[in-house]
Amino acid sequence: MFGKVAILAAACSTLCAASGSSMNDMRLGAQSVNSWRLSQHAATSKPALVLQDGTQPLESAEFPARWFRQPLDHFDKSRSDTFLQRYWFSDRHYKPGGPVIVLDGGETSGEGRLPFLDTGIVDILTKATNGLGVVLEHRYYGLSIPVLNFTTDSLRFLNNNQSAADSANFMANIKFPGIDDDLTAPGTPWIYYGVRARAAHMRVLYPDLTFGAIASSAVTHAAIVFWEYYEVIRLHAPTDCVARIQRTIELVDRILQVKLLRKPLKKLFGLEDLEHDDDFASVLEAPLGGWQARNWDPAVSGTSFEAFCSVLEGEQLQPVKLGPFELDAAALNYAAYVKAYVRRNCPEGYNVEECFGTYDTAKYSDVSLASDWRLWMFQVCTEWGYFMTAPPDPTHPRIISRLITLEYVSRICKVAYPPGKHFRVPRLPDVVGAVNSLGDFAIAADRLAFIDGTADPWMPATPHSWYAEPREDTVSRPFKEIYDGVHHWDENGLVNAADEPPRIRAIHQEEVSFVTAWLKEFNVTAAREARPAVRERLAGIMRLDLLDVESTA
């Protein structure tokens, strides 16, 4: 029966190869580190640059990298440590008097955001407003690395407050090469665009500098347990596919309760030598990561989720008995998919425990700069949470195993980040103090827009959450959803806007409309007169005495 993998390969075709499970893994915890390690091995075997959400870096001399000097610690004026933060800018549409549209690079290399400077949201808004566009790389990510290693102590300056202060310092002091105009805030209107919650936080924390902000897929509510991530997939994925996943996962959980049947079950999935049941259950989550990688533009969209569903709904295999349990076609196809497209990521010479086991703590001890998986995971462990578990209600329908618990997923925090001399990772992340205290679901301000997708697995942590109070959509406070959209679907665009799907073209037009309306409220005289007072207030809480350093290297 399982000799029919070749047939499954034909069904999956290039879809699985184009976006293998390890590349689309959105899980948090030790298993995601395994996925990262396997993807690194694949990248060295097949040289290719795979960036977040499938976007490729823009090979263009039009946007050379530039550098801005930042303090390592914005709030301790006794420290003199600095680092160079990378940024790129586009002046193709700029005319004197135009705004600055800055895109926060987020928790990834800023290179992956350059397409949005060329044809995406930044180009769309700068073209409509005669503005200058910027992509600002997040501290510690890409090449904006301020430390020599990623130990617990070295990572202590990677937090929400320091990152927001980077942006504020940049906005207040930047001098763009080749442009004589003073474009610093608040004398020039800056519109801040960002994924995650940064844009919303900038409008709240630094309202004098951030004239307006667009928060796309903004998770303004941090949570320790975030079981809702998979719930969105369960509710929005194709009904038949979801039903097959649910049946399989429920059956797997029942079989795992019978000790003698555990190894035969794992063998069907090609994972018979995987010792721990929760590790096995975690591997079965891998195909679900493809949901977030989907995009309206086929050129950048991940296709592995559709391929996974195609396999589940494919061959109508005869049921197989495993003790008193009967595995139907859905379970057998699920097993065949994992065996063919997840297990295969384990390279020759490695066993499955080395590839998919999470109990060997030595795997997580490398603190070199090459281990960039340590960055977002550190932020998860200290401030954001979002440990994706099974639903807390055992009777609730689920598409992942009940073995995926908070204890299992969060164990990475303890094993990967031992206490340092200067910093200790908390037992649980400080989601309230670091994030939710800034407004949570109710965060709001004039000239602050929220754009979300109804099918985004992060939606339950945004102001559009089913836990949040409903609000009006106004020009001053836009509150918009993209029907069936996933993660920040408004961010990318096409050279010819007429070729975009109607719902994407519409959201881009709405963004242009409310941003241009906001800019009519800007009083340049009052803003420039306010500059000294604004700088004085900022100097009271952060350093503003550093000069920028420019380079095209």
Side-chain angles (χ1 to χ4, degrees), residues 146-419:
V147 291
L148 298 178
N149 54 53
F150 290 152
T151 63
T152 303
D153 276 344
S154 293
L155 291 172
R156 71 187 186 276
F157 303 105
L158 176 57
N159 59 54
N160 197 41
N161 277 339
Q162 296 285 1
S163 302
D166 284 341
S167 297
N169 193 38
F170 182 87
M171 295 161 71
N173 290 288
I174 185 64
K175 296 176 179 65
F176 293 102
I179 295 179
D180 295 331
D181 302 327
D182 184 349
L183 296 181
T184 57
T188 295
W190 283 65
I191 306 297
Y192 203 104
Y193 179 97
V195 182
R196 200 82 54 197
R198 181 67 41 69
H201 290 170
M202 288 301 297
R203 186 74 182 104
V204 170
L205 290 171
Y206 299 99
D208 293 327
L209 300 177
T210 309
F211 183 73
I214 302 174
S216 179
S217 299
V219 286
T220 59
H221 172 77
I224 303 295
V225 171
F226 191 48
W227 67 274
E228 295 89 345
Y229 182 95
Y230 288 115
E231 180 67 358
V232 172
I233 301 174
R234 190 185 73 83
L235 294 174
H236 288 271
T239 304
D240 188 54
C241 181
V242 168
R244 291 167 186 262
I245 296 171
Q246 286 183 190
R247 289 203 310 272
T248 299
I249 294 302
E250 290 168 3
L251 179 61
V252 164
D253 276 354
R254 291 200 302 272
I255 295 175
L256 288 175
Q257 294 180 53
V258 182
K259 187 174 183 179
L260 292 176
L261 297 181
R262 291 171 185 169
K263 191 158 187 173
L265 173 67
K266 294 174 185 178
K267 186 175 182 179
L268 291 175
F269 290 80
L271 300 168
E272 60 269 27
D273 294 324
L274 195 54
E275 180 180 353
H276 296 90
D277 295 344
D278 45 13
D279 282 343
F280 171 68
S282 183
V283 174
L284 302 195
E285 293 177 76
L288 306 180
W291 180 263
Q292 184 177 322
R294 296 163 61 245
N295 188 270
W296 57 266
D297 181 2
V300 299
S301 180
T303 54
S304 64
F305 190 86
E306 287 80 359
F308 173 56
C309 285
S310 178
V311 169
L312 289 192
E313 299 165 8
E315 278 199 283
Q316 298 305 305
L317 302 170
Q318 292 298 314
V320 169
K321 295 284 288 185
L322 197 60
F325 303 98
E326 183 175 275
L327 282 75
D328 63 7
L332 297 175
N333 284 333
Y334 200 133
Y337 180 92
V338 169
K339 191 173 186 179
Y341 299 110
V342 179
R343 169 64 176 83
R344 75 169 184 183
N345 290 321
C346 191
E348 187 175 351
Y350 291 76
N351 60 49
V352 294
E353 190 65 32
E354 292 173 310
C355 291
F356 304 110
T358 68
Y359 283 80
D360 179 5
T361 58
K363 286 184 177 182
Y364 315 109
S365 61
D366 182 12
V367 297
S368 72
L369 299 183
S371 294
D372 56 5
W373 63 265
R374 297 180 67 83
L375 301 176
W376 173 234
M377 196 71 69
F378 178 82
Q379 293 177 265
V380 164
C381 293
T382 54
E383 294 188 334
W384 293 92
Y386 301 129
F387 296 112
M388 300 165 187
T389 69
D393 179 355
T395 65
H396 192 89
R398 53 195 164 77
I399 58 175
I400 67 169
S401 169
R402 62 170 167 261
L403 297 180
I404 308 304
T405 63
L406 175 61
E407 180 183 6
Y408 175 75
V409 183
S410 66
R411 193 176 68 244
I412 185 71
C413 300
K414 182 178 180 179
V415 301
Y417 307 104

